[in-house]
Amino acid sequence: MAGRPPKPTEQLKLEGTYRKDRHEKRATNSALEPLLAVECPEDITGKAREVWLMQAQMLCELKRINTLNLPIFEQAMRAYKRAIECQTSIDEAGGMASYSAQMTPGQADLSIRERQFRKDYTDLIDTFGVTPVGAAKVSTPAQDKDALDLEAITAIIGNG
């Protein structure tokens, strides 16, 4: 092991220990840069597409989608689409009671699949802070680093 990893450049600037001659050449990971907009895949249609457009716009504004986590967002929306498809099939059968009565032995229970797809969606979308549980886990990046006041900087680095 080569020792401890270097501090992020932003932290060095906050602490006042950033030196241009020493730290300027550090590589930045462009995959972590927030995306300004994301395009909805063609296989996500209907209600799931509407939800995609709404959530993608919100997450891009909050700077929570980047190149690395975009596939997680796409998979969450595909799970949401499958949950809607299961629910639609149950509704077309006349509701849950009619669907259950029409089920044959060995047939996949769409109600169980629908619940699993909704759980998959919720678990995946939590990584972006969309749900209350996810919001507790995700911190939004500072919007304007110049706007930080002395109290905020002291709270971040301590009284040291």
Side-chain angles (χ1 to χ4, degrees), residues 6-7 27 39 54-55 61 66 113 117 134 140:
K7 288 183 182 179
E39 191 172 322
M54 178 189 66
Q55 288 187 351
E61 288 173 5
N66 58 44
R113 292 183 72 201
F117 286 133
T140 305

Side-chain angles (χ1 to χ4, degrees), residues 124-152:
L124 291 168
I125 208 71
D126 268 352
T127 62
F128 296 97
V130 173
T131 64
V133 171
K137 296 177 185 176
V138 175
S139 64
T140 305
Q143 298 298 320
D144 183 9
K145 291 180 184 167
D146 295 334
L148 289 176
D149 60 359
L150 184 58
E151 289 177 12

Side-chain angles (χ1 to χ4, degrees), residues 73-124:
F73 183 66
E74 290 174 351
Q75 191 60 34
M77 297 313 299
R78 286 186 179 98
Y80 184 78
K81 178 184 177 225
R82 289 184 195 108
I84 291 171
E85 290 168 349
C86 290
Q87 185 61 51
T88 302
S89 296
I90 292 170
D91 293 344
E92 288 172 354
M96 192 61 204
S98 295
Y99 171 76
S100 297
Q102 297 171 13
M103 275 184 60
T104 58
Q107 181 182 359
D109 187 349
L110 289 181
S111 65
I112 293 172
R113 292 183 72 201
E114 186 263 347
R115 279 192 302 261
Q116 184 59 49
F117 286 133
R118 288 202 188 271
K119 182 183 180 320
D120 292 347
Y121 165 75
T122 304
D123 291 347
L124 291 168

